[in-house]
Amino acid sequence: MGVTKRFIYTEGINEVANIAKVFAHPARVAILKYISEQEGCICNDLVDEIGLSQATISQHLSVIGDAGLLKGRFEGKKKCYCLNLERFEEFQTLLNSFFIKTTANCC
């Protein structure tokens, strides 16, 4: 979806799409799973664990971060990541309210 067309959708729809984008790629799911199992995570750990290049990991971290699902702090020149649990809770509430309105009108 082109960025220029996002304006035709509600903020809620765009928010669901942004976070759904994170879960639409297996590498991003693997990154989230790995980070969730750590106290903190330096990007180089992700390269070793996930098996993708530093540049590719950084691109995926950018998408995850843009959705607000990561927190980070710098340790020297490296950045440590952890999950933004508050944002995950917000997303869970958003998804629940999104689908609760769905009616069973299907075969």
Side-chain angles (χ1 to χ4, degrees), residues 4-5 11 14 17 20-21 32 37-38 49 52 60 65-66 69 73 77 81 90 96 98 100-101 103:
T4 58
K5 296 288 185 178
E11 184 178 328
N14 282 316
K21 180 179 179 180
L32 285 171
E37 296 168 347
Q38 309 304 311
E49 181 67 24
L52 299 173
H60 287 303
D66 288 347
L69 298 175
R73 69 180 189 283
K77 293 183 177 183
Y81 294 96
E90 290 171 9
N96 286 340
F98 187 80
I100 198 96
K101 297 174 187 172
T103 59

Side-chain angles (χ1 to χ4, degrees), residues 4 6 62 71 75-76 107:
T4 58
R6 294 179 64 88
S62 179
K71 292 181 181 179
E75 290 185 2
C107 48

Side-chain angles (χ1 to χ4, degrees), residues 13-32:
I13 298 257
N14 282 316
E15 189 173 13
V16 170
N18 283 340
I19 297 178
K21 180 179 179 180
V22 171
F23 294 98
H25 196 288
R28 292 192 281 266
V29 173
I31 289 168
L32 285 171

Side-chain angles (χ1 to χ4, degrees), residues 24 80 105:
C80 287
N105 61 359

Side-chain angles (χ1 to χ4, degrees), residues 15-64:
E15 189 173 13
V16 170
N18 283 340
I19 297 178
K21 180 179 179 180
V22 171
F23 294 98
H25 196 288
R28 292 192 281 266
V29 173
I31 289 168
L32 285 171
K33 183 178 183 320
Y34 181 73
I35 292 173
S36 74
E37 296 168 347
Q38 309 304 311
E39 289 294 319
C41 180
I42 297 172
C43 197
N44 290 339
D45 294 342
L46 288 168
V47 171
D48 295 339
E49 181 67 24
I50 306 298
L52 299 173
S53 72
Q54 174 67 48
T56 302
I57 293 288
S58 292
Q59 289 173 341
H60 287 303
L61 287 170
S62 179
V63 172
I64 298 167

